[in-house]
Amino acid sequence: MLIVAVVGPTATGKSDLALDLAEALQGAGGDFSPPEIVNADAYQLYRGMDVGTAKVPVDERRGVVHHQLDVLDVQDDASVATYQTQARADLAAIESRGARPLVVGGSGLYLRALLDDMRFPGTDPQVRAALEARAEAEGTRRLYDELAERDPAAAAAVEPRNTRRIVRALEVIELTGAPYSANLPRQEYVRPAVQIGLDIDRGLLDDRAQARVDAMWERGLVDEVVALADRGLGTTASRAVGYAEILRHLAGETTLDQARADIVANTRRLARKQMGWFGRDPRVHWLRAESPTLVEEALAVVASADRGTPPPPADGPVRRSLGS
């Protein structure tokens, strides 16, 4: 069954639209089993990170089953490869029940890992250590030249001074016997899918970011971070917008007012970064987030995709928001 993904920047209403679609699609077009939602937000994977990630509370999920929420402890580091395995298993299980999967989130890498042909070759500590030792002894440029000889396409995509990425590319070549570039993600769905993107003018997006932070503050974001800090946050969780800034305040590096202002600024910055990421994917069908007929428009995209004739992706609004 066709996967429907709702994508786009933070604060555009992706979760609300996904829930509306889940309700509207049940019983429509042969979808008689209730649709189920798979999360694709990297930080909503964490238990206890609720307010700061705008995770939909259980009592507001309208009875829709959600997957890939609260599956990690905050001490754990998230792994895209692990997420890919587990979330794809969720998709298969949902489809086996005759239900439609709805994927929702703004973490572009996680979405691509779930939907696209994206592979994660293993690692070998000994091979990597040997390459790192060579980089130290011979210089990064020497390894880069070797990469350029063995895989020109990979070398063209890597900065000559980026030791970490050069070492990783050579490690993959050594382990797989294939070019590193053969493992780079391709915009090719592994299952039939359609992406609906929520576009919004930058000014309105900035206003929504401010409103989101204000609402999180009222809901107890500071108390949430304090409680999690007592348990200890791992490297991944501690980098999340809303958490990193308050952690710096708790460490005595900023005032609480400055932390709040930083969260607003970083939320806006994150939203623009997400818009840029999704804006580069020509497969996304863009809809205006503030449209009064948003649900109907989204249903029309799904219906067209189900028939195998999706409408052409809109390129006007998203290009203007990227360039404004």
Side-chain angles (χ1 to χ4, degrees):
M1 188 174 292
L2 184 81
I3 299 167
V4 177
V6 181
V7 307
T10 188
T12 51
K14 295 186 296 295
S15 296
D16 288 339
L17 177 58
L19 288 169
D20 290 340
L21 286 175
E23 292 182 330
L25 287 169
Q26 184 173 353
D31 291 10
F32 294 105
S33 297
E36 301 179 27
I37 289 175
V38 178
N39 165 58
D41 181 301
Y43 294 112
Q44 290 193 10
L45 297 170
Y46 286 100
R47 286 183 286 273
M49 293 179 67
D50 303 327
V51 175
T53 65
K55 190 183 297 175
V56 179
V58 175
D59 60 357
E60 296 178 17
R61 294 177 191 171
R62 309 183 203 175
V64 179
V65 176
H66 284 62
H67 303 269
Q68 294 303 311
L69 293 176
D70 304 324
V71 296
L72 294 176
D73 290 324
V74 291
Q75 296 91 350
D76 298 333
D77 286 333
S79 162
V80 182
T82 300
Y83 170 82
Q84 182 188 66
T85 299
Q86 295 178 348
R88 285 186 177 180
D90 289 331
L91 291 179
I94 293 168
E95 291 173 339
S96 73
R97 291 189 283 272
R100 184 190 295 273
L102 301 177
V103 177
V104 186
S107 297
L109 183 60
Y110 282 70
L111 274 156
R112 292 207 57 187
L114 179 57
L115 300 178
D116 283 348
D117 182 5
M118 187 171 181
R119 306 167 194 179
F120 295 92
T123 62
D124 185 309
Q126 292 183 332
V127 172
R128 178 170 294 189
L131 288 167
E132 289 173 342
R134 283 188 55 202
E136 182 71 24
E138 303 171 25
T140 299
R141 184 70 201 198
R142 179 70 176 271
L143 267 68
Y144 178 80
D145 291 341
E146 180 179 328
L147 177 62
E149 181 177 343
R150 300 179 70 178
D151 188 351
V158 177
E159 287 290 332
R161 291 176 292 182
N162 192 328
T163 305
R164 182 183 62 83
R165 290 193 63 190
I166 294 168
V167 165
R168 175 56 178 161
L170 289 171
E171 178 191 20
V172 169
I173 293 171
E174 189 71 25
L175 293 177
T176 65
Y180 177 71
S181 53
N183 295 282
L184 294 176
R186 293 185 289 274
Q187 290 183 345
E188 299 175 7
Y189 294 135
V190 293
R191 286 185 172 90
V194 62
Q195 294 182 76
I196 298 172
L198 294 185
D199 181 40
I200 193 168
D201 290 329
R202 180 170 293 183
L204 183 54
L205 182 58
D206 285 349
D207 291 343
R208 287 196 179 191
Q210 176 71 63
R212 166 167 287 201
V213 175
D214 291 344
M216 289 176 175
W217 218 259
E218 293 300 318
R219 290 179 56 199
L221 175 59
V222 176
D223 290 339
E224 178 173 279
V225 179
V226 169
L228 293 174
D230 288 341
R231 291 162 50 190
L233 279 77
T235 302
T236 304
S238 63
R239 291 174 177 166
V241 173
Y243 296 82
E245 297 85 356
I246 294 176
L247 288 172
R248 285 196 292 271
H249 162 68
L250 295 177
E253 298 175 16
T254 63
T255 65
L256 191 57
D257 286 343
Q258 184 60 54
R260 183 170 181 168
D262 289 344
I263 294 172
V264 173
N266 290 332
T267 299
R268 290 170 173 168
R269 188 174 297 113
L270 171 63
R272 289 193 287 273
K273 180 179 179 181
Q274 290 170 315
M275 184 61 83
W277 174 284
F278 293 112
R280 289 190 291 271
D281 190 336
R283 301 169 298 173
V284 177
H285 302 271
W286 292 98
L287 302 176
R288 300 297 298 185
E290 71 275 25
S291 171
T293 58
L294 176 61
V295 177
E296 291 78 7
E297 294 168 31
L299 287 170
V301 172
V302 175
S304 294
D306 276 337
R307 293 193 300 267
T309 56
D315 61 359
V318 69
R319 295 297 176 260
R320 288 196 296 273
S321 64
L322 285 170
S324 59

